[in-house]
Structures are given as C-alpha cells and as structure tokens.
Amino acid sequence: QVQLVESGGGLVQAGGSLRLSCAASGRTFSDYVMAWFRQAPGKEREFVAAAIRWTTSYADSVKGRFTISRENAKNMVYLQMNSLKPEDTAVYYCAAGVRLGTTPAYYTNWGQGTQVTVSS
C-alpha cells in the first residue's frame, strides 16, 4: 500500500503554469505506476498522465503542455503544467497502481486531490 498527498494547486490565469507535487509513502515506490487524473464538476474522472521507469503516457488534451516526472529517491511525482487553459480547471488526483492504464480502475491508491483553477 502507498499513501499519497498532493500539493501545488491554485488559481492561475490562462497561459500560465503550475507544478503539482505528490508525496508518496511506502518502500516500493519505484515499482508503482504513478499517474495524474483530473475531475471537473459534473464530469467523470479523466486520465492526464502516467509514468513508470522510462515510460510516460499522456492524454491527447495535454500533450506538449504537461510533463510528468518522478524522483524515486524522494518518493515524489510531479506534474508540470504549462500553457494552461480554462478547460484544465479541475481537481487533480495523484494515483498509484501496478499496471499502466488510462482508466481509474487500473489504480488502487489515490490522494485527496488538489484544486486547479484557470481563469480566462
């Protein structure tokens, strides 16, 4: 099991940047697929990005704007978000799982979420 705590959300103008962080507990952090999902009001939770070892995966809507990275020695995963758009507004969740996938069902551990609001 791994516990996850996100931070770094906030309010930003369109075109701006934010960096989300996720701190994980557990001694086998490097073995987990780490992912970011987001959920806007009235919408389903959607995949944003995932990373395991040297493999990363991104949703088409964020490719070229968002970058996922991880520091296994510090049990940290990050989401650098650039060129933010109002449609990026959502609660962003960090998740951990044992297989890389783009649906929430692949992930067994979740953080509490952090709000990102992009104003136009």
Side-chain angles (χ1 to χ4, degrees):
Q1 288 291 333
V2 60
Q3 283 76 48
L4 305 171
V5 178
E6 305 97 333
S7 61
L11 173 64
V12 64
Q13 289 188 330
S17 298
L18 277 177
R19 187 195 197 203
L20 304 184
S21 300
C22 175
S25 65
R27 290 179 289 180
T28 59
F29 174 78
S30 62
D31 293 338
Y32 282 92
V33 177
M34 298 302 298
W36 290 94
F37 283 76
R38 66 187 181 186
Q39 188 165 17
K43 295 188 176 181
E44 293 187 351
R45 193 166 296 191
E46 67 172 359
F47 174 77
V48 175
I52 176 70
R53 297 186 181 88
W54 297 278
T55 300
T56 57
S57 178
Y58 294 93
D60 288 343
S61 60
V62 306
K63 278 181 182 176
R65 300 188 299 122
F66 291 11
T67 302
I68 187 171
S69 61
R70 53 192 299 168
E71 283 189 88
N72 289 338
K74 295 183 178 181
N75 282 15
M76 295 292 295
V77 62
Y78 307 99
L79 185 68
Q80 178 66 43
M81 306 185 294
N82 298 328
S83 302
L84 282 161
K85 304 174 182 181
E87 51 263 44
D88 294 318
T89 295
V91 176
Y92 282 71
Y93 296 91
C94 179
V98 296
R99 292 177 60 194
L100 195 154
T102 59
T103 63
Y106 280 85
Y107 300 89
T108 54
N109 302 87
W110 294 84
Q112 82 288 350
T114 185
Q115 176 71 45
V116 171
T117 303
V118 184
S119 63
S120 58

PDB file of all heavy atoms in Angstrom, residues 14 38 40 43 46 61-62 65-66 83-90 92 116-120:
ATOM      1  N   ALA A  14      -5.070  32.000 -17.632  1.00  0.00           N
ATOM      2  CA  ALA A  14      -4.838  31.233 -18.851  1.00  0.00           C
ATOM      3  C   ALA A  14      -3.477  31.596 -19.437  1.00  0.00           C
ATOM      4  O   ALA A  14      -3.082  32.768 -19.457  1.00  0.00           O
ATOM      5  CB  ALA A  14      -5.939  31.513 -19.867  1.00  0.00           C
ATOM      6  N   ARG A  38      -7.753  13.915 -13.430  1.00  0.00           N
ATOM      7  CA  ARG A  38      -8.457  15.132 -13.037  1.00  0.00           C
ATOM      8  C   ARG A  38      -9.957  14.921 -13.190  1.00  0.00           C
ATOM      9  O   ARG A  38     -10.408  14.093 -13.977  1.00  0.00           O
ATOM     10  CB  ARG A  38      -7.991  16.320 -13.863  1.00  0.00           C
ATOM     11  CG  ARG A  38      -8.333  16.245 -15.345  1.00  0.00           C
ATOM     12  CD  ARG A  38      -7.652  17.403 -16.081  1.00  0.00           C
ATOM     13  NE  ARG A  38      -7.977  17.376 -17.513  1.00  0.00           N
ATOM     14  CZ  ARG A  38      -7.429  18.207 -18.406  1.00  0.00           C
ATOM     15  NH1 ARG A  38      -6.537  19.109 -18.024  1.00  0.00           N
ATOM     16  NH2 ARG A  38      -7.783  18.126 -19.673  1.00  0.00           N
ATOM     17  N   ALA A  40     -13.443  17.426 -13.362  1.00  0.00           N
ATOM     18  CA  ALA A  40     -14.143  18.701 -13.368  1.00  0.00           C
ATOM     19  C   ALA A  40     -15.572  18.489 -12.863  1.00  0.00           C
ATOM     20  O   ALA A  40     -16.091  17.373 -12.931  1.00  0.00           O
ATOM     21  CB  ALA A  40     -14.149  19.283 -14.770  1.00  0.00           C
ATOM     22  N   LYS A  43     -18.330  16.037 -14.384  1.00  0.00           N
ATOM     23  CA  LYS A  43     -17.680  15.177 -15.379  1.00  0.00           C
ATOM     24  C   LYS A  43     -17.024  13.985 -14.698  1.00  0.00           C
ATOM     25  O   LYS A  43     -16.772  13.989 -13.501  1.00  0.00           O
ATOM     26  CB  LYS A  43     -16.645  15.974 -16.181  1.00  0.00           C
ATOM     27  CG  LYS A  43     -17.241  17.078 -17.029  1.00  0.00           C
ATOM     28  CD  LYS A  43     -16.187  17.686 -17.932  1.00  0.00           C
ATOM     29  CE  LYS A  43     -16.791  18.729 -18.865  1.00  0.00           C
ATOM     30  NZ  LYS A  43     -15.760  19.313 -19.782  1.00  0.00           N
ATOM     31  N   GLU A  46     -10.851  11.820 -15.412  1.00  0.00           N
ATOM     32  CA  GLU A  46     -10.165  11.503 -16.663  1.00  0.00           C
ATOM     33  C   GLU A  46      -8.659  11.459 -16.478  1.00  0.00           C
ATOM     34  O   GLU A  46      -8.083  12.165 -15.655  1.00  0.00           O
ATOM     35  CB  GLU A  46     -10.527  12.513 -17.752  1.00  0.00           C
ATOM     36  CG  GLU A  46     -10.027  13.909 -17.520  1.00  0.00           C
ATOM     37  CD  GLU A  46     -10.244  14.816 -18.735  1.00  0.00           C
ATOM     38  OE1 GLU A  46     -10.767  14.371 -19.765  1.00  0.00           O
ATOM     39  OE2 GLU A  46      -9.851  15.998 -18.629  1.00  0.00           O
ATOM     40  N   SER A  61      -5.170  15.693 -24.819  1.00  0.00           N
ATOM     41  CA  SER A  61      -5.520  17.074 -24.487  1.00  0.00           C
ATOM     42  C   SER A  61      -4.406  17.835 -23.773  1.00  0.00           C
ATOM     43  O   SER A  61      -4.449  19.065 -23.707  1.00  0.00           O
ATOM     44  CB  SER A  61      -6.785  17.092 -23.618  1.00  0.00           C
ATOM     45  OG  SER A  61      -6.574  16.369 -22.414  1.00  0.00           O
ATOM     46  N   VAL A  62      -3.418  17.110 -23.242  1.00  0.00           N
ATOM     47  CA  VAL A  62      -2.343  17.783 -22.503  1.00  0.00           C
ATOM     48  C   VAL A  62      -0.968  17.578 -23.127  1.00  0.00           C
ATOM     49  O   VAL A  62       0.013  18.155 -22.650  1.00  0.00           O
ATOM     50  CB  VAL A  62      -2.308  17.323 -21.025  1.00  0.00           C
ATOM     51  CG1 VAL A  62      -3.667  17.505 -20.367  1.00  0.00           C
ATOM     52  CG2 VAL A  62      -1.823  15.890 -20.893  1.00  0.00           C
ATOM     53  N   ARG A  65       1.998  20.183 -23.414  1.00  0.00           N
ATOM     54  CA  ARG A  65       1.816  21.229 -22.403  1.00  0.00           C
ATOM     55  C   ARG A  65       2.157  20.745 -20.997  1.00  0.00           C
ATOM     56  O   ARG A  65       2.674  21.519 -20.187  1.00  0.00           O
ATOM     57  CB  ARG A  65       0.364  21.723 -22.416  1.00  0.00           C
ATOM     58  CG  ARG A  65      -0.073  22.306 -23.735  1.00  0.00           C
ATOM     59  CD  ARG A  65      -1.451  22.962 -23.627  1.00  0.00           C
ATOM     60  NE  ARG A  65      -2.497  22.030 -23.239  1.00  0.00           N
ATOM     61  CZ  ARG A  65      -3.264  22.174 -22.151  1.00  0.00           C
ATOM     62  NH1 ARG A  65      -3.107  23.215 -21.350  1.00  0.00           N
ATOM     63  NH2 ARG A  65      -4.207  21.285 -21.879  1.00  0.00           N
ATOM     64  N   PHE A  66       1.860  19.504 -20.696  1.00  0.00           N
ATOM     65  CA  PHE A  66       2.103  18.941 -19.364  1.00  0.00           C
ATOM     66  C   PHE A  66       3.258  17.952 -19.421  1.00  0.00           C
ATOM     67  O   PHE A  66       3.443  17.243 -20.417  1.00  0.00           O
ATOM     68  CB  PHE A  66       0.868  18.206 -18.855  1.00  0.00           C
ATOM     69  CG  PHE A  66      -0.325  19.075 -18.524  1.00  0.00           C
ATOM     70  CD1 PHE A  66      -0.375  20.417 -18.879  1.00  0.00           C
ATOM     71  CD2 PHE A  66      -1.405  18.541 -17.847  1.00  0.00           C
ATOM     72  CE1 PHE A  66      -1.477  21.207 -18.574  1.00  0.00           C
ATOM     73  CE2 PHE A  66      -2.518  19.304 -17.534  1.00  0.00           C
ATOM     74  CZ  PHE A  66      -2.542  20.647 -17.901  1.00  0.00           C
ATOM     75  N   SER A  83       1.120  26.497 -20.292  1.00  0.00           N
ATOM     76  CA  SER A  83       0.099  26.944 -21.253  1.00  0.00           C
ATOM     77  C   SER A  83      -1.293  26.510 -20.813  1.00  0.00           C
ATOM     78  O   SER A  83      -2.078  25.953 -21.594  1.00  0.00           O
ATOM     79  CB  SER A  83       0.410  26.390 -22.653  1.00  0.00           C
ATOM     80  OG  SER A  83       1.684  26.800 -23.072  1.00  0.00           O
ATOM     81  N   LEU A  84      -1.595  26.771 -19.573  1.00  0.00           N
ATOM     82  CA  LEU A  84      -2.865  26.311 -19.012  1.00  0.00           C
ATOM     83  C   LEU A  84      -4.051  26.999 -19.675  1.00  0.00           C
ATOM     84  O   LEU A  84      -3.974  28.172 -20.064  1.00  0.00           O
ATOM     85  CB  LEU A  84      -2.888  26.532 -17.508  1.00  0.00           C
ATOM     86  CG  LEU A  84      -2.087  25.490 -16.711  1.00  0.00           C
ATOM     87  CD1 LEU A  84      -1.752  26.007 -15.321  1.00  0.00           C
ATOM     88  CD2 LEU A  84      -2.858  24.190 -16.630  1.00  0.00           C
ATOM     89  N   LYS A  85      -5.133  26.229 -19.784  1.00  0.00           N
ATOM     90  CA  LYS A  85      -6.360  26.714 -20.404  1.00  0.00           C
ATOM     91  C   LYS A  85      -7.510  26.620 -19.394  1.00  0.00           C
ATOM     92  O   LYS A  85      -7.456  25.786 -18.485  1.00  0.00           O
ATOM     93  CB  LYS A  85      -6.698  25.850 -21.617  1.00  0.00           C
ATOM     94  CG  LYS A  85      -5.611  25.754 -22.651  1.00  0.00           C
ATOM     95  CD  LYS A  85      -5.994  24.758 -23.746  1.00  0.00           C
ATOM     96  CE  LYS A  85      -4.889  24.615 -24.778  1.00  0.00           C
ATOM     97  NZ  LYS A  85      -5.264  23.656 -25.854  1.00  0.00           N
ATOM     98  N   PRO A  86      -8.551  27.418 -19.568  1.00  0.00           N
ATOM     99  CA  PRO A  86      -9.691  27.307 -18.640  1.00  0.00           C
ATOM    100  C   PRO A  86     -10.253  25.889 -18.556  1.00  0.00           C
ATOM    101  O   PRO A  86     -10.701  25.465 -17.477  1.00  0.00           O
ATOM    102  CB  PRO A  86     -10.706  28.285 -19.231  1.00  0.00           C
ATOM    103  CG  PRO A  86      -9.869  29.329 -19.907  1.00  0.00           C
ATOM    104  CD  PRO A  86      -8.693  28.558 -20.483  1.00  0.00           C
ATOM    105  N   GLU A  87     -10.191  25.153 -19.641  1.00  0.00           N
ATOM    106  CA  GLU A  87     -10.718  23.786 -19.624  1.00  0.00           C
ATOM    107  C   GLU A  87      -9.839  22.818 -18.829  1.00  0.00           C
ATOM    108  O   GLU A  87     -10.220  21.655 -18.647  1.00  0.00           O
ATOM    109  CB  GLU A  87     -10.928  23.260 -21.052  1.00  0.00           C
ATOM    110  CG  GLU A  87      -9.733  23.404 -21.962  1.00  0.00           C
ATOM    111  CD  GLU A  87      -9.822  24.649 -22.840  1.00  0.00           C
ATOM    112  OE1 GLU A  87     -10.191  25.728 -22.303  1.00  0.00           O
ATOM    113  OE2 GLU A  87      -9.498  24.540 -24.039  1.00  0.00           O
ATOM    114  N   ASP A  88      -8.694  23.275 -18.372  1.00  0.00           N
ATOM    115  CA  ASP A  88      -7.868  22.449 -17.480  1.00  0.00           C
ATOM    116  C   ASP A  88      -8.341  22.531 -16.029  1.00  0.00           C
ATOM    117  O   ASP A  88      -7.831  21.821 -15.165  1.00  0.00           O
ATOM    118  CB  ASP A  88      -6.400  22.878 -17.554  1.00  0.00           C
ATOM    119  CG  ASP A  88      -5.773  22.619 -18.903  1.00  0.00           C
ATOM    120  OD1 ASP A  88      -6.017  21.538 -19.483  1.00  0.00           O
ATOM    121  OD2 ASP A  88      -5.036  23.505 -19.391  1.00  0.00           O
ATOM    122  N   THR A  89      -9.285  23.406 -15.762  1.00  0.00           N
ATOM    123  CA  THR A  89      -9.811  23.565 -14.407  1.00  0.00           C
ATOM    124  C   THR A  89     -10.435  22.265 -13.924  1.00  0.00           C
ATOM    125  O   THR A  89     -11.303  21.689 -14.598  1.00  0.00           O
ATOM    126  CB  THR A  89     -10.850  24.696 -14.371  1.00  0.00           C
ATOM    127  OG1 THR A  89     -10.208  25.935 -14.671  1.00  0.00           O
ATOM    128  CG2 THR A  89     -11.507  24.784 -13.000  1.00  0.00           C
ATOM    129  N   ALA A  90      -9.975  21.796 -12.783  1.00  0.00           N
ATOM    130  CA  ALA A  90     -10.444  20.521 -12.237  1.00  0.00           C
ATOM    131  C   ALA A  90      -9.758  20.269 -10.904  1.00  0.00           C
ATOM    132  O   ALA A  90      -8.812  20.972 -10.530  1.00  0.00           O
ATOM    133  CB  ALA A  90     -10.128  19.365 -13.185  1.00  0.00           C
ATOM    134  N   TYR A  92      -7.276  17.777  -9.331  1.00  0.00           N
ATOM    135  CA  TYR A  92      -6.250  16.874  -9.846  1.00  0.00           C
ATOM    136  C   TYR A  92      -5.869  15.867  -8.760  1.00  0.00           C
ATOM    137  O   TYR A  92      -5.592  16.252  -7.619  1.00  0.00           O
ATOM    138  CB  TYR A  92      -5.022  17.658 -10.291  1.00  0.00           C
ATOM    139  CG  TYR A  92      -5.222  18.323 -11.634  1.00  0.00           C
ATOM    140  CD1 TYR A  92      -6.084  19.406 -11.770  1.00  0.00           C
ATOM    141  CD2 TYR A  92      -4.568  17.858 -12.774  1.00  0.00           C
ATOM    142  CE1 TYR A  92      -6.306  20.007 -12.998  1.00  0.00           C
ATOM    143  CE2 TYR A  92      -4.773  18.459 -14.011  1.00  0.00           C
ATOM    144  CZ  TYR A  92      -5.640  19.525 -14.110  1.00  0.00           C
ATOM    145  OH  TYR A  92      -5.853  20.118 -15.337  1.00  0.00           O
ATOM    146  N   VAL A 116      -7.195  22.918  -9.154  1.00  0.00           N
ATOM    147  CA  VAL A 116      -6.542  23.798 -10.116  1.00  0.00           C
ATOM    148  C   VAL A 116      -7.640  24.589 -10.823  1.00  0.00           C
ATOM    149  O   VAL A 116      -8.565  23.999 -11.391  1.00  0.00           O
ATOM    150  CB  VAL A 116      -5.707  23.005 -11.132  1.00  0.00           C
ATOM    151  CG1 VAL A 116      -5.211  23.921 -12.250  1.00  0.00           C
ATOM    152  CG2 VAL A 116      -4.535  22.320 -10.440  1.00  0.00           C
ATOM    153  N   THR A 117      -7.523  25.905 -10.771  1.00  0.00           N
ATOM    154  CA  THR A 117      -8.497  26.774 -11.423  1.00  0.00           C
ATOM    155  C   THR A 117      -7.764  27.703 -12.373  1.00  0.00           C
ATOM    156  O   THR A 117      -6.833  28.401 -11.963  1.00  0.00           O
ATOM    157  CB  THR A 117      -9.288  27.594 -10.400  1.00  0.00           C
ATOM    158  OG1 THR A 117      -9.936  26.707  -9.480  1.00  0.00           O
ATOM    159  CG2 THR A 117     -10.341  28.450 -11.090  1.00  0.00           C
ATOM    160  N   VAL A 118      -8.183  27.679 -13.635  1.00  0.00           N
ATOM    161  CA  VAL A 118      -7.561  28.516 -14.653  1.00  0.00           C
ATOM    162  C   VAL A 118      -8.589  29.544 -15.107  1.00  0.00           C
ATOM    163  O   VAL A 118      -9.642  29.189 -15.637  1.00  0.00           O
ATOM    164  CB  VAL A 118      -7.077  27.679 -15.846  1.00  0.00           C
ATOM    165  CG1 VAL A 118      -6.340  28.564 -16.849  1.00  0.00           C
ATOM    166  CG2 VAL A 118      -6.173  26.547 -15.373  1.00  0.00           C
ATOM    167  N   SER A 119      -8.266  30.797 -14.894  1.00  0.00           N
ATOM    168  CA  SER A 119      -9.191  31.866 -15.269  1.00  0.00           C
ATOM    169  C   SER A 119      -8.884  32.364 -16.675  1.00  0.00           C
ATOM    170  O   SER A 119      -7.736  32.358 -17.121  1.00  0.00           O
ATOM    171  CB  SER A 119      -9.086  33.018 -14.271  1.00  0.00           C
ATOM    172  OG  SER A 119      -7.797  33.590 -14.305  1.00  0.00           O
ATOM    173  N   SER A 120      -9.928  32.797 -17.364  1.00  0.00           N
ATOM    174  CA  SER A 120      -9.761  33.277 -18.746  1.00  0.00           C
ATOM    175  C   SER A 120      -9.488  34.771 -18.782  1.00  0.00           C
ATOM    176  O   SER A 120      -9.575  35.462 -17.791  1.00  0.00           O
ATOM    177  CB  SER A 120     -11.013  32.952 -19.542  1.00  0.00           C
ATOM    178  OG  SER A 120     -12.142  33.539 -18.932  1.00  0.00           O
TER     179      SER A 120
END
